Amino acid sequence: MLASFPWRRDATGRATETVGMAAQATLERLGDTPSSADYLRALWGRRQFAIAIAVGEVRSQHMNTALGNVWLVLNPLLQMGVYYLVFGVIIGTDRGVDNFLAFLAVGVFLFHYTQRSIMAGAKSLLKNQGLIRSIQFPRAVLPLATVLAHGLSFLPAAAVMIGIALATGESLHWTWLLLVALFAVQTVFNIGMAFITARMTDRFPDMQNVLPFVFRLLFYMSGVLFLATRYVSAETLVWFQLNPVYAMISTGRGIILEGTLNGVLWLSAGGWAIFALVTGFFVFRAGERDYGRG
Amino acid sequence: MADTRQVVADQQPALDPALTLVAQDAHVTYRVYEDRRAGLRELVSSRGKLRAARAIRAVKGVSFEARAGEVIGVIGANGSGKSTLLQAMAGLLPCTDGAIYARSQPVILGVGAALQPLLSGRRNVELGLLALGASQEQVEEQFDEVVEFSGLEDSIDLPLRTYSSGMKARLHFAIATSIQPDILLIDEALAVGDADFRERSEERIRTLQAHAGTVFIVSHRLSEIQRTCTRVLWLCAGELAADGTPDEVLAQYREWVGRPRNRPPRQQRQQRRRWRRRRQRHRERRLARRQQRRLRRQAGR
């Protein structure tokens, strides 16, 4: 009986070749990455899946705690308290700023939104390896959903931020509506960067150890704790302005603290966001075949 | 076996609309990192990767055609490449050589990975259906039916982590089959659940079959394969050992399992040679020890 095993792989060669010609005409080949347009279409088809993942993540995030989602508000408040105590009261990096509390709130919250989105987005493929290995869907859903989840949990923090600004004497102005546009720009930037870092982290999990340092550096290079125009020379300030995170934070501060709009900073932020999204999409799609195989 | 298949393939028209899935000399090789550091020579040849990697050839040149209305059982010993083949059929692991073609995206019964243990069964049904590509409207349409089929009406609002493994398996099966996939791939899923649920799931597989779909079932329970399948593929060490009716293939498989060493002939010969050498070594050592004892005893006198 063992003699009848087709141990050699060409045992059925001819037969399958004739079938193969037919197969290619009627059937689709599995495991190929679709074209960019088809990929975008498939991604759009799974938008509700992405939203469901994001909502589920936010829901289950604090489920094991007694206070539950109160932490979404409490967490940013406590954070503010710590930063204000250390940098406002003890060290005093508040030179050149009238309303340091609101200044700090905008800087810290906007920065953390980007940091958390990108760090979690980077891990999203590794974290969902089981999902990748059992269901076929455009993998871009995963970093996208992760950023959306952080976008959702940022909203309470944004409310706290606006609350602090109002409580410390800022007054509402029509330009505050532009905060919505800023949120959109920042989210687009985060999604693009999450695409790029997700692919890098999937290929080299070691990236997870590098990213915290990148963000540490970015934290200081974005003037989260101090007014960059006051502490930094004019030549160095150009580099700050080219930094997308600095551009976004400063735009937010301009809107809330001064009611002014800086065209250069909007341009820098918007340009970076679009660049990140487009590059990120193509970089991510190019690796589609290999995700979850590490 | 190969001869009969060739005849069948030659007879069929060039464009067979009933073909649902065709594997054409499919090979799947993947790399795994070993739990040891790479040696110096490997380090040089692998461009500086620090961990040793090994290529595993899990599927080696498998070819077959599946048609609408077939329920195909896939059997084979542990590690024979059944699950890997299923993954390749779902398009999750690309073939390294050859190809697999399908009429529509096959659905593998693995929605479990999409579910979140902290959320309620209700939210997880939604999540699972969306993961399989359903739209929000379809989710609302299918929801009650899924819950009813899984028989979890009473615990649908409890978090998923409180479910027993049988309950989870029932939920997974109910979700995956509710969207009526054209090609369904099941990996060892029918074995779980109680007798009643098993009966209902077998019935549902028959419904899928009647709707001109194709179902693949990987299982070690031969009686189940015999009952549900119309055709059986037997994988052995990544190659297709047999392909035919359940009666034929299961008889061959049972005979083969009954053999003393379940290895293909070449490996079997190598194994025997290795064992013969080992037995010889043991005999020599035993003789040597006996000799030593005798010498010691003589020295003691």
Coordinates of all heavy atoms in Angstrom, one line a residue, chain A residues 1-2 5-9 12 14-16 19-20 22-31 46 48-49 52-53 56-57 59-60 63-64 130-136 139 289 293, chain B residues 5-6 10 12 14-15 19 22 24-25 27 63 65 87 89 91-94 99-103 105 108 110 113-114 116 118-119 123 127 130-131 133 136 234 239-241 259 264:
Chain A
M1 N 0.8 -1.2 0.0 CA 0.0 0.0 0.0 C 0.9 1.2 0.0 O 0.6 2.2 -0.7 CB -0.9 -0.1 1.2 CG -2.0 0.9 1.2 SD -1.8 2.0 2.6 CE -1.5 3.5 1.8
L2 N 2.0 1.2 0.8 CA 2.8 2.4 0.8 C 3.4 2.7 -0.5 O 3.7 3.9 -0.8 CB 4.0 2.1 1.8 CG 3.6 2.2 3.3 CD1 4.7 1.6 4.2 CD2 3.4 3.7 3.6
F5 N 1.8 5.7 -2.5 CA 2.0 7.2 -2.1 C 2.6 8.0 -3.2 O 3.7 7.6 -3.7 CB 2.9 7.3 -0.8 CG 2.2 6.9 0.5 CD1 1.1 6.1 0.5 CD2 2.7 7.3 1.7 CE1 0.5 5.8 1.7 CE2 2.2 7.0 2.8 CZ 1.0 6.2 2.9
P6 N 2.1 9.0 -3.6 CA 2.8 9.9 -4.5 C 3.8 10.7 -3.8 O 3.7 11.9 -3.7 CB 1.7 10.8 -5.1 CG 0.6 10.8 -4.1 CD 0.8 9.6 -3.2
W7 N 4.9 10.1 -3.3 CA 5.9 10.8 -2.5 C 6.5 11.9 -3.4 O 6.9 12.9 -2.9 CB 7.0 9.9 -2.0 CG 6.4 8.9 -1.0 CD1 6.4 7.6 -1.1 CD2 5.8 9.2 0.2 NE1 5.8 7.0 0.0 CE2 5.5 8.0 0.8 CE3 5.6 10.4 0.9 CZ2 4.9 7.9 2.1 CZ3 5.0 10.3 2.1 CH2 4.6 9.1 2.7
R8 N 6.7 11.6 -4.6 CA 7.4 12.6 -5.5 C 6.3 13.7 -5.9 O 5.2 13.4 -6.2 CB 8.0 12.0 -6.7 CG 9.2 11.2 -6.3 CD 10.0 10.7 -7.5 NE 11.1 9.9 -7.0 CZ 10.9 8.6 -6.6 NH1 9.7 8.1 -6.8 NH2 11.9 7.9 -6.2
R9 N 6.7 14.9 -5.9 CA 5.8 16.0 -6.1 C 5.3 16.1 -7.5 O 4.3 16.7 -7.8 CB 6.4 17.3 -5.6 CG 7.6 17.7 -6.4 CD 8.1 19.0 -5.8 NE 7.8 20.1 -6.7 CZ 8.5 21.2 -6.7 NH1 9.4 21.4 -5.8 NH2 8.2 22.2 -7.5
T12 N 1.4 14.0 -9.9 CA 0.2 14.4 -10.6 C 0.4 15.6 -11.5 O -0.5 16.3 -11.8 CB -0.9 14.7 -9.5 OG1 -0.4 15.7 -8.7 CG2 -1.3 13.5 -8.7
R14 N 1.0 16.4 -14.6 CA 0.3 16.8 -15.9 C -1.2 17.1 -15.6 O -1.7 18.1 -16.1 CB 0.4 15.6 -16.9 CG 0.2 16.0 -18.3 CD 0.5 14.8 -19.2 NE -0.6 13.8 -19.1 CZ -1.7 13.9 -19.7 NH1 -1.9 14.9 -20.5 NH2 -2.6 13.0 -19.6
A15 N -1.8 16.3 -14.8 CA -3.2 16.5 -14.5 C -3.5 17.9 -13.9 O -4.3 18.6 -14.4 CB -3.7 15.4 -13.6
T16 N -2.7 18.3 -13.0 CA -2.9 19.5 -12.3 C -2.6 20.7 -13.2 O -3.2 21.8 -13.1 CB -2.1 19.7 -11.0 OG1 -0.8 19.4 -11.3 CG2 -2.6 18.8 -9.9
V19 N -5.8 21.4 -15.2 CA -6.7 22.1 -14.4 C -6.3 23.5 -14.0 O -7.1 24.4 -14.0 CB -6.9 21.3 -13.0 CG1 -7.9 21.9 -12.1 CG2 -7.4 19.9 -13.4
G20 N -5.0 23.6 -13.9 CA -4.5 24.9 -13.5 C -4.8 26.0 -14.5 O -5.2 27.1 -14.1
A22 N -7.5 26.2 -16.3 CA -8.9 26.6 -16.0 C -9.0 27.4 -14.7 O -9.7 28.4 -14.7 CB -9.7 25.3 -15.9
A23 N -8.2 26.9 -13.7 CA -8.3 27.6 -12.4 C -8.0 29.1 -12.5 O -8.7 29.9 -12.0 CB -7.3 26.9 -11.5
Q24 N -7.0 29.4 -13.3 CA -6.6 30.8 -13.4 C -7.7 31.6 -14.1 O -7.8 32.8 -13.8 CB -5.3 30.9 -14.1 CG -4.1 30.5 -13.2 CD -2.9 30.1 -13.9 OE1 -2.7 30.4 -15.1 NE2 -2.1 29.3 -13.3
A25 N -8.5 31.0 -14.9 CA -9.5 31.7 -15.6 C -10.7 32.0 -14.7 O -11.2 33.1 -14.8 CB -9.9 30.9 -16.9
T26 N -11.1 31.1 -13.9 CA -12.3 31.3 -13.1 C -12.1 31.7 -11.7 O -12.9 32.3 -11.0 CB -13.2 30.0 -13.1 OG1 -12.4 29.0 -12.6 CG2 -13.7 29.7 -14.5
L27 N -11.0 31.2 -11.1 CA -10.7 31.4 -9.7 C -9.7 32.4 -9.4 O -8.9 32.8 -10.3 CB -10.3 30.0 -9.1 CG -11.2 28.8 -9.4 CD1 -10.5 27.6 -9.0 CD2 -12.5 29.0 -8.9
E28 N -9.7 32.9 -8.2 CA -8.7 33.9 -7.8 C -7.6 33.3 -7.0 O -7.9 32.4 -6.2 CB -9.4 35.1 -7.1 CG -9.3 36.4 -7.8 CD -10.1 37.4 -7.1 OE1 -9.6 38.1 -6.2 OE2 -11.3 37.6 -7.5
R29 N -6.4 33.8 -7.2 CA -5.3 33.3 -6.5 C -5.3 33.8 -5.1 O -5.5 35.0 -4.8 CB -4.0 33.8 -7.2 CG -2.8 33.0 -6.8 CD -1.6 33.7 -7.6 NE -0.4 33.6 -6.8 CZ 0.6 32.8 -7.2 NH1 0.5 32.2 -8.4 NH2 1.7 32.7 -6.5
L30 N -5.1 33.0 -4.1 CA -5.1 33.4 -2.7 C -3.8 33.9 -2.2 O -2.7 33.4 -2.7 CB -5.6 32.2 -1.8 CG -7.0 31.8 -2.0 CD1 -7.2 30.5 -1.2 CD2 -8.0 32.9 -1.5
G31 N -3.8 34.8 -1.2 CA -2.6 35.2 -0.6 C -1.9 36.3 -1.3 O -0.8 36.7 -0.9
R46 N -14.3 47.4 5.7 CA -14.2 47.0 7.1 C -14.2 48.1 8.1 O -13.7 47.9 9.2 CB -12.9 46.2 7.2 CG -12.8 44.9 6.4 CD -13.8 43.9 6.9 NE -13.8 42.7 6.1 CZ -13.4 41.6 6.5 NH1 -13.0 41.4 7.7 NH2 -13.4 40.5 5.7
Q48 N -16.5 49.4 9.7 CA -17.3 49.1 11.0 C -16.6 48.2 11.9 O -16.7 48.3 13.1 CB -18.7 48.6 10.6 CG -19.6 49.7 10.1 CD -20.7 49.3 9.3 OE1 -20.6 48.2 8.6 NE2 -21.8 50.1 9.2
F49 N -15.8 47.3 11.3 CA -15.0 46.4 12.1 C -13.9 47.2 12.9 O -13.8 47.0 14.1 CB -14.3 45.4 11.2 CG -13.4 44.4 11.8 CD1 -13.8 43.8 13.1 CD2 -12.2 44.0 11.3 CE1 -12.9 42.9 13.7 CE2 -11.4 43.1 11.9 CZ -11.7 42.5 13.1
A52 N -15.6 48.9 15.6 CA -16.0 48.0 16.7 C -14.8 47.6 17.6 O -14.9 47.5 18.8 CB -16.6 46.7 16.1
I53 N -13.6 47.4 16.9 CA -12.4 47.1 17.7 C -12.1 48.3 18.6 O -11.8 48.1 19.8 CB -11.2 46.8 16.8 CG1 -11.4 45.6 15.9 CG2 -9.9 46.6 17.6 CD1 -10.3 45.3 15.0
G56 N -14.5 48.6 21.4 CA -14.3 47.5 22.4 C -13.0 47.7 23.2 O -13.1 47.4 24.4
E57 N -12.0 48.3 22.6 CA -10.8 48.5 23.3 C -11.0 49.5 24.4 O -10.5 49.4 25.6 CB -9.7 49.0 22.4 CG -8.4 48.1 22.4 CD -7.5 48.4 21.2 OE1 -6.9 49.4 21.2 OE2 -7.5 47.5 20.3
R59 N -13.8 50.3 25.8 CA -14.7 49.8 26.8 C -14.0 48.9 27.8 O -14.2 48.9 29.0 CB -15.7 48.9 26.1 CG -17.1 49.3 26.4 CD -18.0 48.5 25.4 NE -18.8 49.4 24.7 CZ -19.9 50.0 25.2 NH1 -20.2 49.8 26.4 NH2 -20.6 50.8 24.4
S60 N -13.1 48.0 27.3 CA -12.5 47.0 28.2 C -11.2 47.5 28.9 O -10.7 46.8 29.7 CB -12.2 45.7 27.4 OG -11.4 46.0 26.2
M63 N -12.0 48.2 32.5 CA -13.1 47.4 33.1 C -12.7 46.7 34.4 O -13.6 46.4 35.2 CB -13.5 46.3 32.0 CG -14.9 46.0 32.0 SD -15.4 45.1 30.6 CE -16.6 46.1 29.9
N64 N -11.4 46.4 34.6 CA -11.0 45.7 35.8 C -10.9 46.7 37.0 O -10.5 46.2 38.1 CB -9.7 45.0 35.6 CG -10.0 43.7 34.8 OD1 -11.1 43.1 34.8 ND2 -9.0 43.3 34.0
G130 N -2.8 36.5 16.5 CA -3.8 35.4 16.4 C -4.9 35.8 15.4 O -5.3 34.9 14.6
L131 N -5.3 37.0 15.5 CA -6.3 37.5 14.5 C -5.8 37.4 13.1 O -6.5 37.0 12.2 CB -6.7 38.9 14.9 CG -7.9 39.6 14.2 CD1 -9.1 38.7 14.3 CD2 -8.1 40.9 14.8
I132 N -4.6 37.9 12.9 CA -4.0 37.9 11.6 C -3.9 36.5 11.0 O -4.1 36.2 9.9 CB -2.6 38.6 11.6 CG1 -2.7 40.1 11.9 CG2 -1.9 38.4 10.3 CD1 -1.5 40.8 12.1
R133 N -3.6 35.5 11.9 CA -3.4 34.2 11.5 C -4.7 33.4 11.3 O -4.7 32.2 10.9 CB -2.5 33.4 12.5 CG -1.1 33.8 12.4 CD -0.3 33.2 13.4 NE 1.1 33.7 13.4 CZ 2.0 33.5 14.3 NH1 1.7 32.6 15.2 NH2 3.2 34.0 14.2
S134 N -5.9 34.0 11.6 CA -7.1 33.3 11.5 C -8.1 33.9 10.6 O -9.1 33.2 10.2 CB -7.7 32.9 12.8 OG -7.8 34.0 13.6
I135 N -8.0 35.2 10.3 CA -9.1 35.8 9.5 C -8.4 36.7 8.4 O -7.4 37.4 8.7 CB -10.0 36.7 10.3 CG1 -10.8 35.8 11.3 CG2 -11.1 37.4 9.4 CD1 -11.7 36.5 12.2
Q136 N -8.9 36.6 7.2 CA -8.4 37.4 6.1 C -9.1 38.8 6.1 O -10.3 38.9 6.0 CB -8.6 36.7 4.8 CG -7.9 37.3 3.6 CD -6.4 37.3 3.8 OE1 -5.8 36.3 4.0 NE2 -5.8 38.5 3.7
R139 N -4.9 44.3 6.7 CA -4.3 44.4 8.0 C -4.2 45.9 8.5 O -4.0 46.1 9.7 CB -2.8 43.9 8.0 CG -2.7 42.5 7.4 CD -3.6 41.5 8.1 NE -3.4 40.1 7.7 CZ -4.4 39.2 7.8 NH1 -5.6 39.5 8.2 NH2 -4.1 38.0 7.4
R289 N 1.7 41.0 2.9 CA 1.9 39.6 2.8 C 2.6 38.9 4.0 O 2.3 37.8 4.3 CB 2.7 39.3 1.6 CG 2.1 38.3 0.6 CD 3.0 38.2 -0.6 NE 3.8 37.0 -0.5 CZ 3.5 35.9 -1.2 NH1 2.6 35.9 -2.1 NH2 4.2 34.8 -1.1
R293 N 3.8 36.7 10.7 CA 4.5 35.5 10.4 C 5.7 35.3 11.2 O 6.4 34.3 11.1 CB 4.8 35.4 8.9 CG 3.6 35.5 8.0 CD 4.0 35.3 6.6 NE 4.3 33.9 6.3 CZ 4.8 33.5 5.2 NH1 5.2 34.4 4.3 NH2 5.0 32.2 5.0
Chain B
R5 N -6.8 9.8 -10.2 CA -7.1 11.3 -10.2 C -6.7 11.9 -11.5 O -7.4 12.8 -11.9 CB -6.3 11.9 -9.1 CG -6.8 11.6 -7.7 CD -6.5 12.7 -6.7 NE -5.1 12.8 -6.6 CZ -4.5 13.9 -6.5 NH1 -5.1 15.0 -6.6 NH2 -3.2 14.0 -6.4
Q6 N -5.7 11.4 -12.1 CA -5.3 12.0 -13.4 C -6.4 11.8 -14.4 O -6.7 12.7 -15.2 CB -4.0 11.3 -13.8 CG -3.2 12.1 -14.9 CD -1.8 11.8 -14.8 OE1 -1.3 11.2 -13.9 NE2 -1.1 12.2 -15.9
D10 N -8.4 14.7 -16.4 CA -8.4 14.8 -17.9 C -9.8 14.9 -18.5 O -10.0 15.5 -19.5 CB -7.6 13.6 -18.5 CG -6.1 13.9 -18.4 OD1 -5.7 15.0 -18.2 OD2 -5.4 12.9 -18.5
Q12 N -12.5 16.1 -17.2 CA -13.4 17.3 -16.9 C -13.2 18.4 -17.9 O -12.1 18.5 -18.5 CB -13.2 17.8 -15.5 CG -12.1 18.8 -15.5 CD -11.6 19.1 -14.1 OE1 -11.9 18.4 -13.1 NE2 -10.9 20.2 -14.0
A14 N -12.5 22.1 -19.6 CA -11.5 23.0 -19.2 C -12.0 24.1 -18.3 O -11.3 24.5 -17.4 CB -11.0 23.7 -20.5
L15 N -13.2 24.5 -18.4 CA -13.8 25.5 -17.5 C -14.9 24.9 -16.7 O -16.0 24.8 -17.2 CB -14.3 26.7 -18.3 CG -13.2 27.8 -18.5 CD1 -13.7 28.7 -19.7 CD2 -13.0 28.6 -17.3
L19 N -15.9 24.2 -9.8 CA -14.7 24.2 -9.0 C -14.8 25.4 -8.0 O -15.1 26.5 -8.4 CB -13.5 24.5 -10.0 CG -12.9 23.3 -10.7 CD1 -11.8 23.7 -11.6 CD2 -12.4 22.2 -9.7
V22 N -8.8 25.2 -5.9 CA -7.8 24.4 -6.6 C -6.5 24.6 -6.0 O -6.0 25.8 -5.9 CB -7.8 24.7 -8.1 CG1 -6.7 23.9 -8.7 CG2 -9.1 24.3 -8.7
Q24 N -2.6 23.9 -6.5 CA -1.7 23.5 -7.6 C -0.3 23.4 -7.1 O 0.4 24.4 -7.0 CB -1.9 24.6 -8.7 CG -1.9 24.1 -10.1 CD -1.8 25.2 -11.0 OE1 -0.8 25.6 -11.5 NE2 -3.0 25.9 -11.2
D25 N 0.2 22.2 -6.8 CA 1.5 22.0 -6.4 C 1.9 23.0 -5.3 O 2.9 23.6 -5.3 CB 2.5 22.1 -7.6 CG 3.9 21.6 -7.2 OD1 4.0 20.7 -6.3 OD2 4.9 22.2 -7.7
H27 N 3.3 24.6 -2.1 CA 4.3 24.4 -1.0 C 4.2 25.5 0.0 O 4.0 26.7 -0.4 CB 5.7 24.5 -1.7 CG 6.0 23.3 -2.5 ND1 6.9 22.4 -2.2 CD2 5.6 23.0 -3.8 CE1 7.0 21.5 -3.1 NE2 6.2 21.8 -4.1
S63 N -1.6 18.9 -4.5 CA -2.5 19.3 -5.6 C -3.8 18.6 -5.4 O -3.9 17.4 -5.1 CB -1.9 19.0 -6.9 OG -0.6 19.6 -7.0
E65 N -8.4 19.4 -6.5 CA -9.5 20.3 -6.9 C -10.7 20.0 -6.0 O -11.1 18.8 -5.9 CB -9.9 20.2 -8.4 CG -8.7 20.1 -9.4 CD -8.4 18.7 -9.6 OE1 -9.2 17.9 -9.9 OE2 -7.1 18.4 -9.6
Q87 N -4.4 26.9 6.6 CA -4.1 28.3 6.6 C -3.8 28.9 5.2 O -4.1 30.0 4.9 CB -2.8 28.5 7.5 CG -3.0 28.1 8.9 CD -3.0 29.3 9.8 OE1 -2.0 30.0 9.8 NE2 -4.0 29.6 10.5
M89 N -5.0 27.6 2.5 CA -6.3 27.7 1.8 C -7.1 28.9 2.1 O -7.9 29.3 1.3 CB -7.1 26.4 2.1 CG -6.5 25.2 1.4 SD -7.8 23.9 1.3 CE -7.6 23.1 2.8
G91 N -5.7 31.7 2.6 CA -4.9 32.8 2.1 C -4.2 33.5 3.2 O -3.7 34.6 3.0
L92 N -4.0 32.9 4.4 CA -3.4 33.5 5.5 C -1.9 33.3 5.5 O -1.1 34.1 5.9 CB -3.9 33.0 6.8 CG -5.4 33.2 7.0 CD1 -6.0 32.4 8.1 CD2 -5.6 34.7 7.3
L93 N -1.5 32.1 5.0 CA 0.0 31.9 4.7 C 0.1 31.8 3.2 O -0.5 30.9 2.6 CB 0.4 30.5 5.4 CG 0.7 30.5 6.8 CD1 1.1 29.0 7.2 CD2 1.9 31.3 7.1
P94 N 0.9 32.7 2.6 CA 1.0 32.6 1.1 C 1.8 31.3 0.8 O 2.7 30.9 1.6 CB 1.8 33.8 0.8 CG 1.8 34.7 2.0 CD 1.6 33.8 3.2
A99 N 0.5 27.3 -6.1 CA -0.5 28.3 -5.8 C -1.8 27.6 -5.4 O -2.1 26.5 -5.7 CB -0.8 29.3 -6.9
I100 N -2.7 28.4 -4.7 CA -4.0 27.9 -4.4 C -5.0 29.0 -4.9 O -4.8 30.1 -4.7 CB -4.2 27.7 -2.9 CG1 -3.3 26.6 -2.4 CG2 -5.7 27.4 -2.6 CD1 -3.4 26.4 -0.9
Y101 N -6.0 28.5 -5.7 CA -7.0 29.4 -6.3 C -8.3 29.1 -5.7 O -8.6 27.9 -5.4 CB -7.1 29.2 -7.8 CG -5.7 29.4 -8.5 CD1 -4.8 28.4 -8.7 CD2 -5.5 30.7 -9.0 CE1 -3.6 28.7 -9.3 CE2 -4.3 31.0 -9.7 CZ -3.3 29.9 -9.8 OH -2.2 30.2 -10.4
A102 N -9.1 30.1 -5.5 CA -10.5 29.9 -4.9 C -11.5 30.8 -5.6 O -11.2 31.8 -6.1 CB -10.4 30.2 -3.4
R103 N -12.7 30.3 -5.6 CA -13.8 31.0 -6.2 C -14.2 32.2 -5.4 O -14.6 33.3 -5.9 CB -15.0 30.0 -6.3 CG -16.3 30.6 -6.8 CD -17.2 29.4 -7.2 NE -18.0 29.0 -6.1 CZ -19.0 28.1 -6.2 NH1 -19.3 27.6 -7.4 NH2 -19.7 27.8 -5.2
Q105 N -13.4 34.1 -1.2 CA -12.5 34.0 0.0 C -13.0 33.0 1.0 O -14.1 33.0 1.6 CB -12.6 35.4 0.7 CG -11.8 35.5 2.0 CD -10.3 35.2 1.8 OE1 -9.7 35.9 1.0 NE2 -9.8 34.3 2.6
I108 N -12.0 30.6 7.5 CA -11.5 29.6 8.4 C -12.2 29.7 9.7 O -12.5 30.9 10.1 CB -10.0 29.7 8.5 CG1 -9.3 28.4 9.0 CG2 -9.6 30.8 9.5 CD1 -7.8 28.3 8.9
G110 N -12.0 30.5 12.8 CA -11.1 31.0 13.8 C -11.5 32.4 14.2 O -10.6 33.2 14.6
A113 N -10.2 34.5 17.6 CA -9.1 35.4 17.7 C -9.6 36.9 17.7 O -8.9 37.8 18.2 CB -8.0 35.2 16.7
A114 N -10.7 37.1 17.1 CA -11.2 38.4 16.9 C -12.0 38.9 18.2 O -12.3 40.1 18.4 CB -12.1 38.6 15.7
Q116 N -13.0 39.6 22.2 CA -12.3 40.2 23.3 C -12.9 39.7 24.6 O -14.1 39.8 24.9 CB -12.5 41.7 23.3 CG -11.8 42.3 22.0 CD -11.7 43.8 22.0 OE1 -12.0 44.5 23.0 NE2 -11.3 44.3 20.9
L118 N -13.0 40.4 27.7 CA -13.6 41.2 28.7 C -15.0 41.7 28.3 O -15.8 42.0 29.2 CB -12.7 42.5 29.0 CG -11.4 42.2 29.7 CD1 -10.6 43.5 29.8 CD2 -11.7 41.7 31.1
L119 N -15.3 41.7 27.0 CA -16.6 42.2 26.5 C -17.6 41.1 26.6 O -17.3 39.9 26.7 CB -16.5 42.7 25.1 CG -15.5 43.9 24.9 CD1 -15.5 44.3 23.5 CD2 -15.8 45.0 25.8
R123 N -21.6 41.8 22.4 CA -20.6 42.6 21.7 C -19.7 41.8 20.8 O -19.3 42.2 19.8 CB -19.8 43.5 22.6 CG -20.7 44.5 23.2 CD -20.0 45.7 23.8 NE -21.0 46.5 24.5 CZ -21.9 47.3 23.9 NH1 -21.9 47.4 22.6 NH2 -22.7 48.0 24.6
L127 N -18.7 41.8 17.0 CA -17.3 41.9 16.6 C -16.9 40.8 15.6 O -16.3 41.0 14.6 CB -16.5 41.9 17.8 CG -15.1 42.5 17.8 CD1 -15.1 43.9 17.3 CD2 -14.4 42.4 19.1
L130 N -18.5 41.2 12.2 CA -17.8 42.3 11.4 C -16.4 41.8 11.0 O -16.0 42.2 9.9 CB -17.7 43.5 12.3 CG -19.0 44.3 12.6 CD1 -18.7 45.4 13.7 CD2 -19.5 44.9 11.4
A131 N -15.8 41.1 11.8 CA -14.4 40.6 11.4 C -14.5 39.7 10.2 O -13.6 39.7 9.4 CB -13.8 39.8 12.6
G133 N -16.4 40.2 7.8 CA -16.7 41.0 6.6 C -18.2 41.3 6.5 O -18.6 41.8 5.4
Q136 N -23.0 46.3 9.0 CA -23.7 46.5 10.2 C -25.2 46.0 10.1 O -25.7 45.4 11.0 CB -23.7 48.0 10.5 CG -24.2 48.4 11.9 CD -23.1 48.0 12.9 OE1 -22.0 48.4 12.8 NE2 -23.5 47.2 13.9
W234 N -5.7 12.7 2.6 CA -4.8 12.2 3.7 C -3.4 12.8 3.5 O -2.8 12.6 2.5 CB -4.7 10.7 3.7 CG -3.7 10.0 4.5 CD1 -2.9 10.6 5.4 CD2 -3.2 8.7 4.4 NE1 -2.0 9.7 6.0 CE2 -2.2 8.5 5.4 CE3 -3.6 7.6 3.6 CZ2 -1.5 7.3 5.6 CZ3 -3.0 6.4 3.8 CH2 -1.9 6.3 4.8
E239 N 2.8 15.8 2.4 CA 2.5 15.4 1.0 C 1.1 14.7 1.0 O 0.7 14.2 2.1 CB 3.5 14.5 0.4 CG 4.9 15.2 0.4 CD 5.9 14.3 -0.2 OE1 5.8 13.9 -1.4 OE2 6.9 13.9 0.5
L240 N 0.5 14.7 -0.1 CA -0.8 14.1 -0.2 C -0.6 12.6 -0.4 O -0.1 12.1 -1.4 CB -1.6 14.7 -1.4 CG -3.1 14.6 -1.4 CD1 -3.6 15.2 -0.2 CD2 -3.6 15.3 -2.7
A241 N -1.0 11.8 0.6 CA -0.8 10.4 0.6 C -1.9 9.7 -0.2 O -1.8 8.7 -0.9 CB -0.7 9.8 2.0
R259 N 0.5 0.2 11.5 CA 1.9 -0.3 11.2 C 2.8 0.1 12.4 O 2.5 1.1 13.1 CB 2.4 0.4 10.0 CG 1.7 -0.1 8.7 CD 2.3 0.6 7.5 NE 3.7 0.2 7.3 CZ 4.0 -0.9 6.5 NH1 3.1 -1.6 6.0 NH2 5.3 -1.2 6.4
P264 N 7.3 7.3 6.5 CA 7.5 6.9 5.1 C 8.7 6.0 4.9 O 9.6 6.0 5.8 CB 7.7 8.3 4.4 CG 8.1 9.2 5.5 CD 7.4 8.7 6.7

